[in-house]
Amino acid sequence: MGTSRTGAAGATARTHVSRTGQVAPAPRTGLKAPLSVAPSLPLDEILIGDCIAALERLPPESVDAVFADPPYNLQLEGALTRPDASLVDAVDDDWDKFASFSAYDAFTRAWLLACRRVMKKNATLWVIGSYHNIFRVGATLQDLDFWLLNDIVWRKANPMPNFRGRRFTNAHETLIWASKSAGAKAYTFHYDALKAGNEDTQMRSDWFIPLCTGEERLKGADGRKVHPTQKPEALLARVILSSTNPGDVVLDPFFGTGTTGAVAKRLGRHFIGVERDSAYAAAARARIAAVEPLSGAAIAAAPEKRAEARVPFLSLIEGGHVQPGETLVDERRRHKAVVRADGTLAVGPIVGSIHKIGALVQGLPACNGWTFWNAERAGRLVSIDAYRAKVREALSA
Ligand SMILES: C[S@@+](CC[C@H](N)C(=O)[O-])C[C@H]1O[C@@H](n2cnc3c(N)ncnc32)[C@H](O)[C@@H]1O
């Protein structure tokens, strides 16, 4: 069972700043990422207090991403027990208690608005929740004109069983990923890097990740969990790697044990955490201080294909890499086409782009001509994509 903590619950009770009446910055945690932001930001610090009040003190449009793991509003009725009568370690803390759905909605609206104010125009926001709260949060996001980009299902590899056998095992949580508005198109998304790290297959919206257990789970001197809902670092790593760049600022208004801060520091991002409970904040601070940032080479953003200069096939002819009149073939030499002086290919009387002719000879609706066609060079095949890379290199030199 989680430890009951002091602090009033509900939206109205959450307007105080802290137990001391201050938004208190904690000591810096020694992050080494480059500073590309306004100096007044409390970078790599944990602000102790209510997040709505704390965010009001931050400059507008100052953070690149938000990760929020707000109270679930679980509404537990009495203790939850296993078949052997032992108590389940459920979330029954005061921070998760709200008087009514409308109190929870008012709280959600207030903290989302506070986040929205400090988000840069192209920043994105992640919120994680369960069936108890995520639908209410999603509706509020839309009411506030956030633009939903995805909902991600975090499928838990090792979920807690349904002890009473009255419902399905609750084996997932949902993350909503949203931009500030429908017009905010230039948000960060490392599509190609995610795909490359996923066996060259598009990263899907269902993520299979274990719960936070073992060494990673923070425990007190009594051997009990420090926090009932510590999130796995692997989940935060995917969030941060997919939607931020090294040096970016990630805000977490419900910092808990500081999973966001630990992962941000390891990945060379800055964080700003807000946590109302000073014991959780102290645990987070110690945890983050022990994190070693990865080297620059390990975290440098992989170039996105979309960001690379567009190279027309004609440039390969102009650069002398491919000659008009020569024949290109596919990898197995089953199909061939003749290169024309204007940068098109011909198969008999049919003329078209490298893509169109590639698709035509295979009888397919589409084809990436760059990876399909090859030139013969001294008995070996050289992909025209390799020549494209050379042209790109020359263009950026
Ligand atoms: C679901 S937990 C976050 C756990 C965190 N993601 C982690 O990995 O440890 C929510 C946290 O928000 C804190 N909290 C609740 N209401 C808050 C508020 N109004 N302002 C700041 N923190 C709050 C709670 O004390 C709790 O630690």
Side-chain angles (χ1 to χ4, degrees):
M1 188 71 57
T3 320
S4 184
R5 291 174 188 274
T6 54
T12 48
R14 285 161 197 274
T15 47
H16 71 275
V17 175
S18 75
R19 290 172 184 156
T20 59
Q22 296 283 313
V23 172
R28 285 185 162 264
T29 47
L31 197 83
K32 300 247 167 31
L35 273 179
S36 58
V37 286
S40 58
L41 273 183
L43 290 181
D44 313 319
E45 292 178 8
I46 306 170
L47 309 177
I48 299 171
D50 170 71
C51 63
I52 299 162
L55 297 192
E56 272 162 18
R57 289 168 168 77
L58 297 184
E61 299 193 357
S62 53
V63 307
D64 300 284
V66 177
F67 177 83
D69 182 7
Y72 293 82
N73 193 21
L74 285 186
Q75 307 162 293
L76 290 180
E77 289 166 355
L80 190 57
T81 53
R82 298 188 180 86
D84 65 1
S86 60
L87 283 179
V88 175
D89 200 1
V91 184
D92 67 346
D93 301 56
D94 282 352
W95 57 257
D96 201 50
K97 295 194 171 86
F98 291 82
S100 61
F101 281 137
S102 61
Y104 186 77
D105 291 346
F107 169 65
T108 302
R109 195 181 160 82
W111 72 257
L112 280 174
L113 277 171
C115 287
R116 194 186 168 81
R117 191 186 69 82
V118 298
M119 285 168 69
K120 290 181 185 170
K121 281 195 178 57
N122 291 318
T124 55
L125 171 137
W126 294 81
V127 192
I128 185 168
S130 62
Y131 68 87
H132 309 85
N133 67 333
I134 200 68
F135 302 107
R136 309 194 81 82
V137 173
T140 308
L141 277 166
Q142 289 184 321
D143 288 348
L144 295 178
D145 285 339
F146 282 90
W147 188 250
L148 305 196
L149 297 167
N150 274 119
D151 68 323
I152 303 289
V153 172
W154 165 33
R155 211 180 129 213
K156 300 175 182 177
N158 45 353
M160 197 196 299
N162 184 273
F163 293 111
R164 292 184 182 143
R166 302 286 299 155
R167 301 186 192 183
F168 297 102
T169 304
N170 189 13
H172 75 277
E173 288 188 35
T174 302
L175 295 99
I176 297 178
W177 183 41
S179 60
K180 218 173 159 178
S181 66
K185 305 267 188 241
Y187 55 84
T188 300
F189 181 52
H190 294 295
Y191 170 84
D192 291 313
L194 287 162
K195 185 173 169 186
N198 192 39
E199 303 201 5
D200 287 327
T201 307
Q202 278 193 346
M203 181 63 81
R204 293 161 42 125
S205 62
D206 46 349
W207 300 355
F208 190 60
I209 294 175
L211 290 168
C212 174
T213 53
E215 291 287 295
E216 193 183 315
R217 188 85 203 210
L218 298 194
K219 305 255 172 60
D222 57 1
R224 298 174 68 175
K225 293 173 194 166
V226 166
H227 196 290
T229 69
Q230 182 182 335
K231 294 296 173 293
E233 293 193 1
L235 184 78
L236 265 296
R238 208 174 280 188
V239 162
I240 288 176
L241 285 169
S242 61
S243 58
T244 70
N245 292 304
D248 276 1
V249 179
V250 185
L251 167 73
D252 184 336
F254 303 100
F255 207 54
T257 57
T259 311
T260 304
V263 176
K265 182 177 173 186
R266 184 167 302 119
L267 297 176
R269 276 72 169 170
H270 293 284
F271 69 87
I272 299 172
V274 191
E275 171 55 53
R276 63 187 293 178
D277 185 310
S278 51
Y280 290 157
R285 200 175 301 133
R287 175 186 187 182
I288 294 166
V291 170
E292 279 297 323
L294 290 170
S295 70
I299 57 165
E304 286 294 309
K305 284 198 185 125
R306 247 168 274 179
E308 287 176 338
R310 210 186 137 265
V311 175
F313 179 62
L314 184 59
S315 304
L316 270 56
I317 299 170
E318 290 163 351
H321 301 288
V322 176
Q323 304 304 319
E326 77 166 291
T327 299
L328 300 185
V329 294
D330 72 302
E331 215 175 27
R332 293 200 200 160
R333 294 186 168 88
R334 286 176 308 185
H335 305 290
K336 37 187 169 170
V338 176
V339 176
R340 289 164 37 96
D342 59 4
T344 56
L345 299 188
V347 175
I350 306 172
V351 172
S353 71
I354 52 170
H355 311 297
K356 191 176 158 195
I357 297 298
L360 181 100
V361 295
Q362 298 177 86
L364 293 175
C367 162
N368 181 346
W370 288 112
T371 50
F372 182 70
W373 294 113
N374 303 270
E376 294 263 9
R377 297 289 176 264
R380 291 183 52 228
L381 293 184
V382 178
S383 165
I384 60 167
D385 209 25
Y387 290 132
R388 177 168 68 157
K390 282 192 176 172
V391 172
R392 265 207 188 111
E393 213 176 286
L395 285 175
S396 61

Coordinates of all heavy atoms in Angstrom, one line a residue, residues 18 20 22-31 43-49 218 226-227 255-263 265 271 273-292:
S18 N 3.9 25.7 -2.0 CA 4.6 24.6 -1.4 C 4.3 24.6 0.1 O 3.6 25.5 0.6 CB 6.1 24.7 -1.5 OG 6.6 25.7 -0.7
T20 N 6.2 25.4 2.3 CA 6.9 26.6 2.9 C 6.4 27.9 2.2 O 6.8 28.9 2.5 CB 8.4 26.5 2.6 OG1 8.6 26.4 1.2 CG2 9.0 25.3 3.3
Q22 N 6.8 28.7 -0.9 CA 7.8 29.1 -1.9 C 7.8 28.1 -3.0 O 7.6 26.9 -2.8 CB 9.2 29.2 -1.3 CG 9.4 30.2 -0.3 CD 9.5 31.6 -0.9 OE1 10.2 31.8 -1.8 NE2 8.8 32.5 -0.3
V23 N 8.1 28.5 -4.2 CA 8.5 27.6 -5.3 C 10.0 27.5 -5.1 O 10.8 28.4 -5.4 CB 8.2 28.1 -6.7 CG1 8.8 27.1 -7.7 CG2 6.7 28.1 -6.8
A24 N 10.5 26.4 -4.6 CA 11.9 26.3 -4.2 C 12.7 25.5 -5.2 O 12.5 24.4 -5.5 CB 12.0 25.6 -2.9
P25 N 13.7 26.2 -5.9 CA 14.6 25.4 -6.8 C 15.5 24.5 -6.0 O 16.1 24.9 -5.0 CB 15.4 26.5 -7.6 CG 15.3 27.7 -6.8 CD 14.1 27.6 -5.9
A26 N 15.7 23.3 -6.4 CA 16.6 22.4 -5.8 C 18.0 22.6 -6.4 O 18.1 23.2 -7.4 CB 16.1 20.9 -6.0
P27 N 19.0 22.0 -5.7 CA 20.4 22.2 -6.3 C 20.5 21.7 -7.7 O 19.8 20.7 -8.0 CB 21.3 21.4 -5.3 CG 20.4 21.2 -4.1 CD 19.0 21.2 -4.5
R28 N 21.4 22.3 -8.5 CA 21.6 21.8 -9.8 C 22.2 20.4 -9.8 O 22.8 20.0 -8.9 CB 22.6 22.8 -10.5 CG 21.9 24.1 -10.9 CD 22.8 24.9 -11.7 NE 22.0 25.9 -12.3 CZ 21.6 25.8 -13.5 NH1 21.9 24.8 -14.3 NH2 20.9 26.8 -14.1
T29 N 21.9 19.7 -11.0 CA 22.3 18.3 -11.0 C 23.5 18.1 -11.9 O 23.8 16.9 -12.2 CB 21.1 17.5 -11.4 OG1 20.5 18.1 -12.6 CG2 20.1 17.3 -10.3
G30 N 24.1 19.1 -12.4 CA 25.4 18.9 -13.1 C 25.2 18.5 -14.6 O 26.1 17.8 -15.1
L31 N 24.1 18.9 -15.2 CA 23.9 18.5 -16.6 C 24.9 19.2 -17.5 O 25.2 20.4 -17.3 CB 22.5 18.8 -17.0 CG 22.0 18.1 -18.3 CD1 21.6 16.7 -17.9 CD2 20.9 18.8 -18.9
L43 N 16.9 25.6 -15.3 CA 17.3 24.3 -16.0 C 17.8 23.3 -15.0 O 18.6 23.6 -14.1 CB 18.3 24.6 -17.0 CG 17.8 25.4 -18.2 CD1 18.9 25.7 -19.2 CD2 16.6 24.8 -18.9
D44 N 17.4 22.1 -15.2 CA 17.9 20.9 -14.5 C 17.7 21.1 -13.0 O 18.5 20.7 -12.2 CB 19.4 20.7 -14.8 CG 19.6 20.7 -16.3 OD1 18.7 20.2 -17.0 OD2 20.6 21.3 -16.8
E45 N 16.5 21.7 -12.7 CA 16.2 21.8 -11.3 C 14.8 21.2 -11.0 O 14.0 21.1 -11.9 CB 16.1 23.3 -10.9 CG 17.5 24.0 -11.0 CD 17.5 25.5 -10.7 OE1 16.4 26.0 -10.3 OE2 18.5 26.1 -10.9
I46 N 14.6 21.0 -9.7 CA 13.3 20.5 -9.3 C 12.6 21.6 -8.5 O 13.2 22.0 -7.5 CB 13.4 19.2 -8.5 CG1 14.2 18.1 -9.2 CG2 12.0 18.6 -8.1 CD1 14.6 16.9 -8.4
L47 N 11.5 22.0 -8.9 CA 10.8 23.1 -8.2 C 9.8 22.4 -7.3 O 9.0 21.5 -7.7 CB 10.0 24.0 -9.2 CG 10.8 24.6 -10.3 CD1 10.0 25.4 -11.2 CD2 12.0 25.4 -9.8
I48 N 9.9 22.7 -6.0 CA 9.0 22.0 -5.1 C 7.8 22.8 -4.8 O 7.8 24.0 -4.4 CB 9.7 21.7 -3.7 CG1 10.9 20.8 -4.0 CG2 8.8 21.0 -2.7 CD1 11.8 20.6 -2.9
G49 N 6.6 22.3 -5.1 CA 5.4 23.0 -5.0 C 4.3 22.6 -6.0 O 4.5 21.6 -6.7
L218 N 13.1 2.6 -7.4 CA 13.7 3.2 -6.2 C 13.0 2.6 -4.9 O 11.8 2.5 -4.8 CB 13.4 4.7 -6.2 CG 14.1 5.5 -7.3 CD1 14.0 7.0 -6.9 CD2 15.5 5.1 -7.6
V226 N 9.7 3.6 -3.2 CA 9.6 5.0 -2.8 C 8.4 5.7 -3.3 O 7.8 6.5 -2.6 CB 10.9 5.8 -3.3 CG1 10.8 7.3 -3.2 CG2 12.1 5.3 -2.6
H227 N 7.9 5.3 -4.5 CA 6.8 5.9 -5.2 C 5.9 4.8 -5.8 O 6.4 3.9 -6.4 CB 7.3 6.9 -6.2 CG 6.3 7.9 -6.7 ND1 5.3 7.5 -7.5 CD2 6.3 9.2 -6.6 CE1 4.6 8.6 -7.8 NE2 5.1 9.6 -7.2
F255 N 6.7 15.4 -11.3 CA 8.0 14.8 -11.4 C 8.2 13.5 -10.7 O 8.9 12.7 -11.1 CB 9.0 15.8 -10.9 CG 10.4 15.7 -11.5 CD1 10.6 15.8 -12.9 CD2 11.5 15.6 -10.7 CE1 11.8 15.7 -13.5 CE2 12.8 15.6 -11.3 CZ 12.9 15.6 -12.6
G256 N 7.4 13.3 -9.6 CA 7.6 12.1 -8.8 C 9.0 11.8 -8.5 O 9.7 12.6 -7.9
T257 N 9.5 10.6 -8.9 CA 10.9 10.2 -8.6 C 11.8 10.7 -9.7 O 13.0 10.2 -9.7 CB 11.0 8.6 -8.6 OG1 10.5 8.1 -9.8 CG2 10.2 8.1 -7.4
G258 N 11.4 11.5 -10.6 CA 12.3 12.2 -11.5 C 12.7 11.3 -12.7 O 13.8 11.5 -13.3
T259 N 11.9 10.4 -13.1 CA 12.2 9.5 -14.3 C 12.5 10.4 -15.5 O 13.5 10.1 -16.2 CB 11.1 8.5 -14.6 OG1 10.7 7.9 -13.4 CG2 11.5 7.5 -15.6
T260 N 11.7 11.4 -15.7 CA 12.0 12.3 -16.9 C 13.3 12.9 -16.8 O 14.1 13.0 -17.8 CB 10.9 13.3 -16.9 OG1 9.6 12.7 -17.0 CG2 11.0 14.2 -18.2
G261 N 13.7 13.4 -15.6 CA 14.9 14.1 -15.4 C 16.1 13.2 -15.6 O 17.1 13.5 -16.2
A262 N 16.0 12.0 -15.1 CA 17.1 11.0 -15.2 C 17.4 10.7 -16.6 O 18.5 10.6 -17.1 CB 16.8 9.7 -14.4
V263 N 16.3 10.4 -17.4 CA 16.4 10.0 -18.8 C 16.9 11.3 -19.6 O 17.8 11.1 -20.5 CB 15.1 9.4 -19.4 CG1 15.3 9.1 -20.8 CG2 14.8 8.2 -18.6
K265 N 18.7 13.8 -18.6 CA 20.1 14.0 -18.4 C 21.0 13.0 -19.1 O 22.0 13.3 -19.8 CB 20.4 13.9 -16.9 CG 21.9 14.2 -16.5 CD 22.1 14.2 -15.0 CE 23.6 14.3 -14.7 NZ 23.9 14.2 -13.3
F271 N 16.1 19.4 -18.2 CA 14.7 19.1 -17.7 C 14.4 20.2 -16.7 O 15.3 20.9 -16.2 CB 14.6 17.8 -17.0 CG 15.4 17.7 -15.7 CD1 14.9 18.1 -14.5 CD2 16.8 17.2 -15.7 CE1 15.7 18.1 -13.3 CE2 17.5 17.2 -14.6 CZ 17.0 17.6 -13.4
G273 N 11.6 20.1 -13.5 CA 10.7 19.2 -12.8 C 9.9 20.0 -11.8 O 10.5 20.9 -11.2
V274 N 8.6 19.7 -11.6 CA 7.9 20.2 -10.5 C 7.2 19.1 -9.7 O 6.6 18.2 -10.3 CB 6.7 21.2 -11.0 CG1 6.2 22.0 -9.8 CG2 7.2 22.2 -12.0
E275 N 7.4 19.1 -8.4 CA 6.8 18.0 -7.6 C 6.4 18.7 -6.3 O 7.2 19.4 -5.6 CB 7.9 17.0 -7.4 CG 7.5 15.9 -6.4 CD 6.2 15.2 -6.6 OE1 6.0 14.7 -7.7 OE2 5.4 15.2 -5.7
R276 N 5.2 18.4 -5.9 CA 4.7 19.0 -4.6 C 5.2 18.3 -3.4 O 5.2 18.9 -2.3 CB 3.1 19.0 -4.6 CG 2.6 17.6 -4.6 CD 1.1 17.6 -4.8 NE 0.4 18.2 -3.6 CZ -0.9 18.4 -3.5 NH1 -1.7 18.1 -4.5 NH2 -1.4 18.9 -2.4
D277 N 5.7 17.1 -3.5 CA 6.1 16.3 -2.3 C 7.6 16.4 -2.2 O 8.3 15.8 -3.0 CB 5.6 14.9 -2.5 CG 5.9 14.1 -1.2 OD1 7.0 14.1 -0.8 OD2 4.9 13.4 -0.8
S278 N 8.1 17.0 -1.1 CA 9.6 17.2 -1.0 C 10.3 15.9 -0.8 O 11.5 15.8 -1.2 CB 9.9 18.2 0.1 OG 9.3 17.8 1.3
A279 N 9.6 14.8 -0.3 CA 10.3 13.6 -0.1 C 10.6 12.9 -1.5 O 11.6 12.4 -1.8 CB 9.5 12.6 0.7
Y280 N 9.6 13.0 -2.4 CA 9.7 12.5 -3.7 C 10.8 13.3 -4.4 O 11.7 12.7 -5.2 CB 8.4 12.6 -4.5 CG 7.3 11.6 -4.1 CD1 6.0 12.0 -4.4 CD2 7.6 10.5 -3.4 CE1 5.0 11.1 -4.1 CE2 6.6 9.6 -3.1 CZ 5.3 9.9 -3.4 OH 4.2 9.1 -3.0
A281 N 10.8 14.6 -4.3 CA 11.8 15.5 -4.9 C 13.2 15.1 -4.5 O 14.1 15.1 -5.3 CB 11.4 16.9 -4.7
A282 N 13.4 14.8 -3.2 CA 14.7 14.5 -2.7 C 15.2 13.2 -3.3 O 16.3 13.1 -3.7 CB 14.6 14.4 -1.2
A283 N 14.2 12.2 -3.4 CA 14.6 10.9 -4.1 C 15.0 11.2 -5.5 O 16.0 10.6 -6.0 CB 13.5 10.0 -4.0
A284 N 14.3 12.0 -6.2 CA 14.5 12.3 -7.6 C 15.9 13.0 -7.8 O 16.7 12.6 -8.6 CB 13.4 13.2 -8.2
R285 N 16.2 13.9 -6.9 CA 17.5 14.7 -6.9 C 18.6 13.7 -6.8 O 19.6 13.7 -7.6 CB 17.5 15.7 -5.8 CG 18.4 16.8 -6.0 CD 18.3 17.8 -4.9 NE 16.9 18.4 -4.9 CZ 16.2 18.5 -3.8 NH1 16.7 18.2 -2.6 NH2 15.0 19.0 -3.8
A286 N 18.6 12.8 -5.8 CA 19.7 11.8 -5.6 C 19.8 10.9 -6.8 O 20.9 10.6 -7.3 CB 19.4 11.0 -4.3
R287 N 18.7 10.5 -7.3 CA 18.7 9.6 -8.5 C 19.4 10.3 -9.7 O 20.2 9.7 -10.4 CB 17.2 9.3 -8.9 CG 17.1 8.5 -10.1 CD 15.6 8.3 -10.4 NE 15.3 7.4 -11.5 CZ 14.1 7.2 -12.0 NH1 13.1 7.8 -11.5 NH2 14.0 6.4 -13.0
I288 N 19.0 11.5 -10.0 CA 19.5 12.2 -11.1 C 21.0 12.5 -11.0 O 21.8 12.5 -11.9 CB 18.7 13.5 -11.4 CG1 17.2 13.1 -11.8 CG2 19.3 14.4 -12.5 CD1 16.2 14.3 -11.7
A289 N 21.4 12.9 -9.8 CA 22.8 13.2 -9.5 C 23.7 12.0 -9.9 O 24.8 12.2 -10.3 CB 23.0 13.6 -8.1
A290 N 23.2 10.8 -9.8 CA 24.0 9.6 -10.1 C 24.0 9.2 -11.6 O 24.7 8.3 -12.0 CB 23.4 8.4 -9.3
V291 N 23.3 10.0 -12.4 CA 23.2 9.6 -13.8 C 24.4 10.2 -14.6 O 24.7 11.4 -14.4 CB 21.9 10.2 -14.4 CG1 21.9 10.1 -15.9 CG2 20.7 9.4 -13.8
E292 N 25.0 9.4 -15.4 CA 26.1 9.8 -16.2 C 25.5 10.2 -17.6 O 24.9 9.3 -18.3 CB 27.1 8.7 -16.4 CG 28.1 8.6 -15.3 CD 29.0 9.8 -15.1 OE1 29.4 10.4 -16.1 OE2 29.3 10.1 -14.0

